[in-house]
Amino acid sequence: MSDSMQTELWLASTSPYRQQLLQRTGLPFQVAAPDIDETPIAGEAPAELVQRLALAKASKVASTLKHGLVIGSDQVAVYHGDILGKPHTPERAMAQLQAFSGNVVTFLTGLALVDAATGKSQLCCEPFHVHFRPLSHAEIANYVAIEQPLDCAGSFKSEGLGISLFDKLEGNDPNSLVGLPLIRLLAMLRQHGINPLA
């Protein structure tokens, strides 16, 4: 095995969605809970928020290590300038989807890669735009009942039946919609000599 493949890779997230995405690369990695305060700062723009939190997550885990690369990611959904939270209840999920009907929601995903040995980091924000088709009340109710997207910002799972809600998806990397922009991440990792195709 090459030295590049021996570099320890950590995912600073307990999200099963992010873990599943990172598994697609075939790169071995370990998972650690970052345990940080995710409260927005007053006046903080959504893009600044996700980058700050992604870096904070990766840095928190990196501070416990002597070496290795730590991936941090954070995502918000933005609609009419407002940050959307997870709905947590079927009623809130339905209300969110009713508001989105015929409109566009932007997902911003912050991505950070921190070298635990040096403290150096790479950081970006990946936008992705979801164009919702006009939805009937029955379609929304049926979708929420079937897929129960209560722990997802935006009240849908694009990797599941949520795809039936859209007219168009617009962005550089469909993985960023699920919470981890793999195209940008792999580019960052190649700068450290890590390439799943090498």
Side-chain angles (χ1 to χ4, degrees), residues 79-103:
Y79 179 64
H80 287 174
D82 294 325
I83 294 175
L84 307 170
K86 297 174 182 178
H88 299 298
T89 68
E91 295 76 20
R92 288 184 186 150
M94 289 180 63
Q96 277 193 348
L97 292 172
Q98 192 64 58
F100 301 160
S101 177
N103 292 304

Side-chain angles (χ1 to χ4, degrees), residues 175-191:
N175 299 298
S176 64
L177 186 55
V178 184
L180 190 63
L182 291 181
I183 293 173
R184 293 293 289 272
L185 175 60
L186 289 169
M188 290 178 175
L189 290 173
R190 284 193 297 272
Q191 293 184 39

Side-chain angles (χ1 to χ4, degrees), residues 33-84:
D35 190 28
I36 64 160
D37 180 1
E38 298 190 27
T39 306
I41 296 170
E44 188 174 33
E48 294 170 349
L49 170 67
V50 294
Q51 290 182 92
R52 177 176 63 82
L53 293 180
L55 184 58
K57 290 175 183 179
S59 297
K60 179 77 179 278
V61 172
S63 71
T64 68
L65 305 171
K66 291 183 178 178
H67 56 85
L69 297 173
V70 185
I71 302 160
S73 187
D74 192 78
Q75 183 184 68
V76 295
V78 181
Y79 179 64
H80 287 174
D82 294 325
I83 294 175
L84 307 170

Side-chain angles (χ1 to χ4, degrees), residues 103-105 129-133 165-170:
N103 292 304
V104 180
V105 176
H129 309 287
V130 177
H131 297 252
F132 283 81
R133 66 182 180 81
L165 305 172
F166 312 143
D167 263 337
K168 181 171 72 170
L169 298 175
E170 184 182 10

